[in-house]
Amino acid sequence: MSEPDDDLFGRLKAVVLTAQTSSDGRIRLPAERRLAEQLGVQRSTVRERLATLENLGFIERTPGSGTYVQMPKPGFVQLYFDLAVRLGYVSVDQMEEAREMLEREIARQAAIRATDDDVAALAELRDRILHAETIADGLRADHEFHMRLAYTTRNPVIILMIQGLSTVLREVVHQRRVRVRQVPRGAERTNATHIPIVEAIAARDPIQAVAAMDKHFRVWDEESARVLSARPAKAGSNDEGTASDD
């Protein structure tokens, strides 16, 4: 029978702080036997706890190489937010508000840290949004655009949080976004907001980048409100149809 957890994870954290760092900068944990000795528990207990951490994405076990600490995978954060919404701990509105707060700071940091390659990639995604032939293409390009913005910050915490938030929101507000894109005015206005974002980042102007992101969300809120106040879309409408895109 395995020992009670007590502060086992706390003791494991202490081990991590003194663990070896590999040549590529990764933190390598001791072998299971050595780890059990350091923690004062049975090896089977260590194996169980490591399996839990691996499933959560906090460690990676490589056969023949060792066990390494890593940032949790986006799926972990996505699962947390998904369950939190379903269980009523947070609302979709609260998640959207948090995402918008993060996106404003992401725009600012992107303007400061973007490389020429980042700007080129964002410009390409902007063009895909502007010229997408279907709503589905526009949705994909829009998602990739915002993910690329997050990667441009070079901040793993920001990237992890925006991946989790955006993926869940992408699913729960999908129909609303489709309906906005089905209206030419809504598609045209939301498309156009991506242009000044890229321009501000290309100019390395963080103040304008935040202002452009503010306008992006303001236009989306206006068009979403317009769509929601109108009559529901007809049954059987084609979500994959041609769109002026987002």
Side-chain angles (χ1 to χ4, degrees):
M1 188 173 78
S2 61
E3 296 87 349
D5 276 340
D6 296 322
D7 63 340
L8 180 55
F9 282 113
R11 285 179 283 151
L12 181 57
K13 177 182 176 181
V15 171
V16 169
L17 294 176
T18 60
Q20 290 181 323
T21 302
S22 63
S23 58
D24 60 357
R26 295 198 298 168
I27 299 175
R28 186 173 187 270
L29 292 178
E32 285 183 2
R33 186 183 302 279
R34 175 61 178 160
L35 197 52
E37 294 174 356
Q38 288 182 259
L39 296 174
V41 297
Q42 295 180 4
R43 187 173 177 180
S44 60
T45 300
V46 168
R47 188 176 296 115
E48 290 172 3
R49 300 307 178 266
L50 290 179
T52 298
L53 291 172
E54 184 177 24
N55 289 334
L56 292 175
F58 285 100
I59 63 171
E60 178 182 14
R61 293 200 260 192
T62 306
S65 176
T67 301
Y68 297 88
V69 178
Q70 65 177 9
M71 284 291 290
K73 298 176 181 177
F76 169 70
V77 179
Q78 179 186 344
L79 175 62
Y80 171 80
F81 285 133
D82 189 30
L83 288 175
V85 170
R86 292 176 186 273
L87 295 174
Y89 294 135
V90 298
S91 68
V92 172
D93 286 344
Q94 288 171 326
M95 288 186 61
E96 287 192 287
E97 182 181 40
R99 182 205 164 194
E100 290 182 17
M101 290 177 181
L102 279 173
E103 291 267 17
R104 289 179 174 88
E105 181 59 23
I106 285 171
R108 188 176 78 86
Q109 291 298 326
I112 295 170
R113 303 181 181 184
T115 65
D116 290 342
D117 286 343
D118 291 325
V119 174
L122 288 168
E124 180 182 354
L125 288 166
R126 173 206 59 202
D127 291 343
R128 281 177 52 193
I129 292 169
L130 294 172
H131 305 297
E133 295 181 354
T134 68
I135 291 173
D137 288 344
L139 283 168
R140 280 191 293 270
D142 181 75
H143 183 71
E144 291 176 31
F145 181 89
H146 288 277
M147 287 301 98
R148 182 71 195 211
L149 274 176
Y151 296 145
T152 301
T153 68
R154 310 290 192 272
N155 186 315
V157 178
I158 290 292
I159 294 169
L160 182 68
M161 295 300 293
I162 206 68
Q163 283 176 326
L165 283 168
S166 294
T167 302
V168 174
L169 287 172
R170 187 183 183 190
E171 296 173 358
V172 298
V173 300
H174 173 76
Q175 289 304 319
R176 187 196 310 172
R177 293 175 178 175
V178 166
R179 288 179 62 188
V180 169
R181 288 170 172 81
Q182 287 175 330
V183 179
R185 170 196 166 97
E188 182 178 352
R189 290 193 73 210
T190 55
N191 288 347
T193 62
H194 295 84
I195 299 172
I197 294 174
V198 176
E199 290 177 346
I201 293 172
R204 309 307 197 269
D205 188 332
I207 295 176
Q208 285 303 313
V210 174
M213 188 61 74
D214 277 335
K215 183 176 180 180
H216 172 76
F217 285 117
R218 185 171 66 254
V219 169
W220 259 108
D221 288 343
E222 291 171 358
E223 294 306 317
S224 293
R226 189 187 307 276
V227 164
L228 293 175
S229 65
R231 290 190 303 175
K234 294 181 180 179
S237 61
N238 183 6
D239 288 353
E240 299 296 318
T242 298
S244 298
D245 323 307
D246 166 40

